Every structure is written in C-alpha cells, then in structure tokens.
Amino acid sequence: MKRSRILLADDDLLMLATINKLLQSDFEVVDMVSDGHSLVEAAFKLQPDLIVTDISMPKLNGIEAAKKIRGSLPGIKFIFLTMHGAIGYRREAQRIGAAGYVLKSSAREELNQAIHDALEASA
C-alpha cells in the first residue's frame, strides 16, 4: 500500500525532527523546510499529498505560503501545527481550506489522527 507523502514546515528544527519521528511510521516525509519561501518551492517541486506547517515562520508565514500553494496546487491538503490558539488564526486557516488545525501542545495526541482524517476526507 502506498504511503501518503507529507511535507513538513517549521522554523524550529527540533520541532521538525520531533514531528518527523512522530509521523515516519505511518507516512513518507518527503522533505522538511524551515521557512515559508522554502515551503512554497518544495511544494511545487515535490507535490506532496499533505503539508503540515507552522504559521509563524521567517520570510513568509505558513498561511501566506499555503495561499500561494493552493492557488496552483489545489489538491494538496494543509494542516496547521502551531502554538497560536487564537480564533483569528483558526478562522484564517479555515478560510483558505485547511484540513486541520492542531496546537503544538497537543501534537503528540492529535497530529497523526488529524492527518489520517484529512487524507480520508479526500479519498
């Protein structure tokens, strides 16, 4: 069975490594990037099934990067993994069609399920 391809984006390298370790048994992590411009470039190059991205990143935040990607690659699913619990961020993520919104403090318990749910919704 083909494993879903995931692209990770976070400016915290320790967080990237932790997320990668958390996901690698169920998914193929195709790349890990640490800023919004690199996220856009990697998305166009690799065309993953799903992107897990932070909101606060240098050069281009995760929401703006997602907008750029979604404009040309509408089939890619997005899950925002962030420390921002404010409703305004959630609404903006929903407005651009995010498949999920997970707080970093809950990632260990919720991220894997959020990814499975997002991918099943598109199947």
Side-chain angles (χ1 to χ4, degrees):
M1 183 166 122
K2 179 183 170 263
R3 294 189 332 156
S4 296
R5 302 172 72 245
I6 310 291
L7 173 59
L8 304 178
D10 197 303
D11 61 330
D12 180 335
L13 299 181
L14 181 58
M15 180 58 75
L16 275 177
T18 301
I19 298 165
N20 182 40
K21 186 171 178 82
L22 195 67
L23 300 180
Q24 63 183 275
S25 64
D26 288 345
F27 307 102
E28 178 187 353
V29 176
V30 295
D31 202 358
M32 297 185 293
V33 298
S34 59
D35 67 74
H37 285 301
S38 297
L39 173 56
V40 172
E41 289 174 10
F44 282 101
K45 178 182 171 190
L46 300 169
Q47 298 189 14
D49 300 307
L50 186 138
I51 294 172
V52 176
T53 184
D54 190 7
I55 291 175
S56 298
M57 292 190 295
K59 299 182 184 176
L60 187 66
N61 73 48
I63 289 176
E64 293 304 316
K67 287 178 185 176
K68 286 181 178 251
I69 295 164
R70 179 143 331 270
S72 297
L73 300 169
I76 295 177
K77 303 285 185 194
F78 284 89
I79 292 182
F80 288 93
L81 179 64
T82 183
M83 64 180 193
H84 299 291
I87 194 70
Y89 286 109
R90 284 182 186 268
R91 285 189 181 134
E92 186 63 21
Q94 288 173 332
R95 200 172 359 262
I96 63 169
Y101 194 95
V102 178
L103 294 178
K104 287 182 177 180
S105 59
S106 303
R108 185 170 304 280
E109 300 83 22
E110 297 177 13
L111 183 59
N112 204 303
Q113 187 61 51
I115 293 171
H116 280 288
D117 291 348
L119 293 169
E120 287 174 15
S122 65

